Amino acid sequence: MNDLLRELEALKITGNIKDEALWTKSIQLIEKTFVPQKSCELNRSYEEKDFREYRLEVDRNLRNVRSILQHVLHNWNTCNTRAALEDLKFKTFCVDLIILIGEQSEKSLWNSAESVSIANELAADVCNLLGCENLSQALTGQDDKLTAALLTLRPKLLKDTWKTYPAAVTCYKWMLYQVEVPILSNYLNAIIPTALIIFDDYELQNRVKGLESIHRILQHCSTTRILIDTGYAEVLFSALEKLTHQREVAYVVPLYSCLAMLLAIMEFYDNSTNTFSWSKRDNILCTLLDNMECEQRFELRHAYMLSLPQLLTHIGCAKWCDKLIRILSEYCEHHTDLRTLKATLETAKVILLMFHPRVPAHCNALYSTFLRLHFDLTETPVLDSEITQTLEECVFMLYKLTPTVGGAIMRDDRMRSIIKNSLQVVCLGDSKYLN
């Protein structure tokens, strides 16, 4: 405790938490520790050297802030807690502290691993100070510090300022992920414009941050029609759809995850939707399948195939069966990447299950694809046993849907040399065609 008092004296901060000077100087120290604005140089991204001077003092300042917070906690129960909670400077102290924690919440160009560690300790202390179990309660409790924090950050997150305050972007995204679902649905006007501004940038890393922010917002709105009623659903869909035409692997998985969630919300609350009529989902599938059919890079093939199943949600998507099966055949025939092959076979299972009424019309192409792949894997064994197991599950599902064709294939003597007995048993569920 003596060491703590000496630290406070060095900072010229009084030890009495009833003294307004304590809060004033504490707020000044916190705001001094905010990551400073940087000029927006459009020709390059920020580098560590841009924050060299700040990095020299950030950890020291963070430790000083924590010393103040520990002192406040130590003396908290000896003072009039209610009076302090109602004090405007105390509220400013808490909100600024939350923003500081958010700025230092992850390893970035402007801090060190120690900075992140101290920020985590500060977060625990803030929860203790406010009597909250977690930061979600601290942000959205009685005083609604989330609104105050967003208002404080707003000047830094405008269209013409946000790129000069990269730590404010980090803090904004961090706050979204601290709040428990579905509370953010009450803050859409304060959070969606910022997410769209970040998403609309030309830099890959910023677009990904925007996508991650939109995804988090959608998680909070999945059980309510608020996005529909406010018009934000159409705004978000329009913004996201434009990105489907760009072939950048970093976008694909988060983009289609957002679109799948948004489409589910829009379709659930749109009573006029006809399952078999052309829809926004078909617009997305049309672009995605065109991209998949033309793509040769295995990184993009893998990302596309991981994203596809979540869009195949109802029988109305069966209008795409012809193209889906052509793509499956292509990806199985040219299986240079095992991750892509595994994702392709998992998608095949989804297609067989979802569109089973249409499978008999395509069974010849599917049997040809699956059995040729099985022969290839037998000739060139793969180390991943899950691939072989998933393939056999696909053949089994296909046989169950088309037993007549499947039985004829198993009885054909020409097939015995390329189909293992074990696969025959797996497919048929018995051994009647083995004799």
Side-chain angles (χ1 to χ4, degrees), residues 22 47 208 212 219 273 379 386 425:
L22 168 71
E47 302 173 5
V208 171
E212 291 170 345
Q219 287 179 321
T273 301
E379 291 294 302
E386 289 184 20
V425 174

Side-chain angles (χ1 to χ4, degrees), residues 107-337:
K107 179 67 179 70
S108 306
L109 297 174
W110 52 83
N111 64 13
S112 65
E114 184 179 0
S115 310
V116 179
S117 177
I118 299 172
N120 289 334
E121 294 170 349
L122 285 170
D125 289 340
V126 168
C127 291
N128 191 8
L129 177 66
L130 298 176
C132 300
E133 293 182 3
N134 52 51
L135 283 168
S136 180
Q137 291 181 6
L139 283 164
T140 61
Q142 185 175 359
D143 292 334
D144 193 13
K145 293 179 178 59
L146 178 58
T147 295
L150 290 170
L151 284 172
T152 302
L153 284 176
R154 180 169 294 171
K156 298 181 179 181
L157 295 175
L158 300 175
K159 193 167 186 177
D160 57 350
T161 60
W162 72 274
K163 292 200 77 171
T164 68
Y165 289 102
V169 175
T170 298
C171 180
Y172 161 81
K173 183 182 165 210
W174 171 82
M175 286 195 294
L176 296 187
Y177 278 85
Q178 299 310 306
V179 177
E180 294 178 354
V181 175
I183 299 174
L184 283 181
S185 60
N186 299 319
Y187 297 84
L188 296 187
N189 289 335
I191 59 178
I192 286 185
T194 299
L196 288 172
I197 287 172
I198 299 169
F199 169 76
D200 195 39
D201 191 48
Y202 67 92
E203 288 191 77
L204 184 149
Q205 60 185 15
N206 289 326
R207 280 203 163 164
V208 171
K209 288 178 182 178
L211 283 169
E212 291 170 345
S213 299
I214 291 171
H215 186 271
R216 182 58 176 173
I217 293 169
L218 291 172
Q219 287 179 321
H220 283 252
C221 299
S222 60
T223 59
T224 174
R225 59 175 297 122
I226 190 168
L227 284 176
I228 309 296
D229 294 339
T230 58
Y232 279 127
E234 290 291 344
V235 172
L236 289 170
F237 180 82
S238 178
L240 294 170
E241 185 182 27
K242 292 176 183 176
L243 198 59
T244 62
H245 299 280
Q246 296 194 22
R247 298 184 178 185
E248 175 56 61
V249 66
Y251 300 153
V252 174
V253 172
L255 171 63
Y256 286 103
S257 181
C258 287
L259 281 167
M261 293 180 68
L262 182 57
L263 286 168
I265 293 170
M266 297 173 78
E267 290 169 354
F268 184 81
Y269 290 105
D270 184 0
N271 296 326
S272 64
T273 301
N274 183 331
T275 301
F276 296 98
S277 62
W278 190 273
S279 65
K280 286 182 170 63
R281 184 177 295 273
D282 291 310
N283 288 334
I284 299 302
L285 280 169
C286 182
T287 303
L288 173 58
L289 295 178
D290 282 347
N291 290 343
M292 294 180 72
E293 203 164 26
C294 299
E295 190 54 58
Q296 296 300 318
R297 289 171 289 177
F298 70 84
E299 297 94 343
L300 266 171
R301 281 191 166 198
H302 179 242
Y304 284 143
M305 197 58 79
L306 285 177
S307 303
L308 177 59
Q310 62 192 325
L311 294 169
L312 305 176
T313 58
H314 54 71
I315 193 62
C317 299
K319 63 174 69 73
W320 298 104
C321 269
D322 288 348
K323 182 168 278 193
L324 284 167
I325 290 168
R326 284 203 309 272
I327 292 171
L328 284 181
S329 298
E330 163 66 17
Y331 281 36
C332 286
E333 183 177 352
H334 300 93
H335 52 87
T336 55
D337 176 60

Side-chain angles (χ1 to χ4, degrees), residues 334-353:
H334 300 93
H335 52 87
T336 55
D337 176 60
L338 293 182
R339 295 184 311 152
T340 305
L341 180 58
K342 184 185 293 187
T344 300
L345 292 173
E346 291 293 343
T347 301
K349 289 171 61 177
V350 172
I351 292 171
L352 291 169
L353 182 64

